[in-house]
Amino acid sequence: MDKGGTGKTTTLAHLGVVFENELDYETVLIDLAGKQGDLAKHFGVWEQVEVAVANDDDWPNIATTFQEKWGQVARLQDESTGDPLADMILSLDEGPDLIPTSEELDGIDSMLNTVDDPGERYARLDAFLTEYVDERYDVILIDAAGSSSNITMNALRAAGHVVALSKPAPFDEGQARKLRTDLKSMVEQQTLETDLTMVMLNELDGNTIAGREFLQRFEAEFGPAMAPQQIPSTQDIINAQMRGTTLFELEDPLATAERAMDAYRANATELARRFETCDWMTETDSSTVESDISTEVN
Ligand SMILES: Nc1ncnc2c1ncn2[C@@H]1O[C@H](COP(=O)(O)OP(=O)(O)O)[C@@H](O)[C@H]1O
Ligand SMILES: [Mg+2]
């Protein structure tokens, strides 16, 4: 979504922990969302990343994999360490692995402008994942910025599925609709082979009239693509993020945090089902979606 702060990074972190720890998928999170290193901060490893940068010890990194010389770099790394990704992948205490972002991605974005063939310009990440990452993991979650940069196009190109996060706010519904239209036309022009696999509302207060109305409008607009559960707002997200963990590590979570964790569990489980079902859209029983709305409204 072309907007910051809808909850992309937070949601991706929580889904990643559910995929790895509860659903037993080998999971890696890839941060392409910008310099702030939000995912690394979320898991309390940002300082470690910064120390590596300060000591010039952060090479090769995710930006290196976009460069033409990557194949050569990978071969040399493989010869010296036995694993071309050894210095790039962090294994997190909470379970999943993380490939953190790099400041060099900005430069990569400009460099990609000089690649004339769009087929080639947007295919770098896909090539890297296919050759070096796919075989190690069951699930690869990519945190991509909302803007339509070359990096984001690479993420979309590499992805089989797109999950969109929206805040229940008047203009965000239009943004979600635009994302769906854009994806559709890119698929038609054969730039992409992906679909909008799930739309999730973040920080939805289902107890307010406005909250229920937003949910109804999203259900009407996105039907079976809607997540089975929406994520409530919880103060504990901030508490957990300040400690460098997800909600799942809190010893005495608030009731709102329990509801959020249940929603992450339900949505990760449904995502896994959709990943594995080619025509998940037609196999979803739309009558259950509708009856959910009426229960909410009543
Ligand atoms: N369910 C939630 N309840 C409360 N705060 C949340 C929730 N989800 C996200 N936040 C907060 O909203 C802010 C933006 O979330 P973030 O995941 O960084 O969004 P994005 O990656 O889309 O920019 C963060 O400060 C985060 O702590
Ligand atoms: Mg983010």
Side-chain angles (χ1 to χ4, degrees):
M1 212 80 74
D2 192 8
K3 181 167 183 171
T6 59
K8 294 181 292 292
T9 301
T10 305
T11 306
L12 186 131
H14 284 82
L15 292 175
V17 170
V18 177
F19 275 125
E20 173 83 31
N21 295 347
E22 300 192 21
L23 303 179
D24 241 4
Y25 290 114
E26 290 291 327
T27 303
V28 63
L29 318 176
I30 302 181
D31 189 352
L32 295 182
K35 292 189 278 260
Q36 299 85 4
D38 289 352
L39 261 180
K41 283 180 194 153
H42 203 322
F43 288 103
V45 295
W46 178 237
E47 213 166 296
Q48 186 182 332
V49 175
E50 281 191 311
V51 167
V53 173
N55 294 340
D56 261 342
D57 203 16
D58 66 327
W59 185 93
N61 56 56
I62 187 65
T64 323
T65 70
F66 283 84
Q67 292 174 330
E68 225 153 330
K69 66 176 183 195
W70 165 248
Q72 244 171 307
V73 172
R75 257 190 312 280
L76 290 174
Q77 286 292 110
D78 195 25
E79 277 164 26
S80 65
T81 67
D83 177 2
L85 306 191
D87 294 337
M88 204 182 296
I89 298 180
L90 295 176
S91 95
L92 301 170
D93 289 344
E94 271 201 78
D97 285 351
L98 169 69
I99 299 183
T101 191
S102 160
E103 288 191 338
E104 293 163 31
L105 277 177
D106 275 353
I108 297 292
D109 201 66
S110 321
M111 177 277 284
L112 288 172
N113 280 329
T114 65
V115 178
D116 288 331
D117 175 8
E120 164 63 17
R121 193 189 314 146
Y122 301 144
R124 300 273 168 100
L125 181 68
D126 192 33
F128 165 65
L129 295 181
T130 303
E131 191 167 346
Y132 297 90
V133 183
D134 281 0
E135 64 193 22
R136 300 174 186 227
Y137 297 100
D138 305 311
V139 176
I140 301 172
L141 297 176
I142 305 173
D143 190 5
S147 58
S148 52
S149 66
N150 291 324
I151 299 290
T152 298
M153 283 302 294
N154 266 271
L156 286 172
R157 176 66 178 270
H161 302 268
V162 172
V163 177
L165 262 292
S166 205
K167 277 236 175 126
F171 305 118
D172 290 18
E173 183 188 348
Q175 293 231 343
R177 203 181 303 128
K178 182 170 182 307
L179 173 68
R180 184 176 57 188
T181 316
D182 289 352
L183 287 176
K184 239 187 213 146
S185 76
M186 287 187 276
V187 169
E188 274 157 20
Q189 292 158 24
Q190 298 180 327
T191 320
L192 291 185
E193 285 175 47
T194 181
D195 71 349
L196 186 54
T197 305
M198 190 174 280
V199 177
M200 225 180 281
L201 284 167
N202 190 40
E203 296 195 59
L204 178 79
D205 187 350
N207 294 322
T208 64
I209 293 174
R212 285 195 296 267
E213 177 162 339
F214 277 118
L215 181 60
Q216 264 187 322
R217 279 169 49 175
F218 269 78
E219 299 272 19
E221 182 72 38
F222 297 100
M226 280 309 288
Q229 291 190 27
Q230 314 314 320
I231 317 296
S233 181
T234 173
Q235 183 60 36
D236 263 353
I237 292 258
I238 320 279
N239 296 335
Q241 284 172 339
M242 287 196 312
R243 300 175 17 168
T245 72
T246 64
L247 292 175
F248 297 105
E249 293 293 300
L250 295 180
E251 264 164 32
D252 196 12
L254 298 168
T256 48
E258 294 283 8
R259 283 206 296 280
M261 287 187 278
D262 285 343
Y264 291 127
R265 288 189 183 103
N267 293 350
T269 305
E270 172 61 10
L271 267 177
R273 189 188 74 81
R274 292 183 190 179
F275 291 165
E276 284 169 5
T277 316
C278 295
D279 42 3
W280 60 268
M281 177 85 80
T282 47
E283 285 186 19
T284 305
D285 182 359
S286 59
S287 64
T288 48
V289 172
E290 273 161 31
S291 67
D292 278 355
I293 302 180
S294 43
T295 356
E296 275 284 334
V297 173
N298 299 335

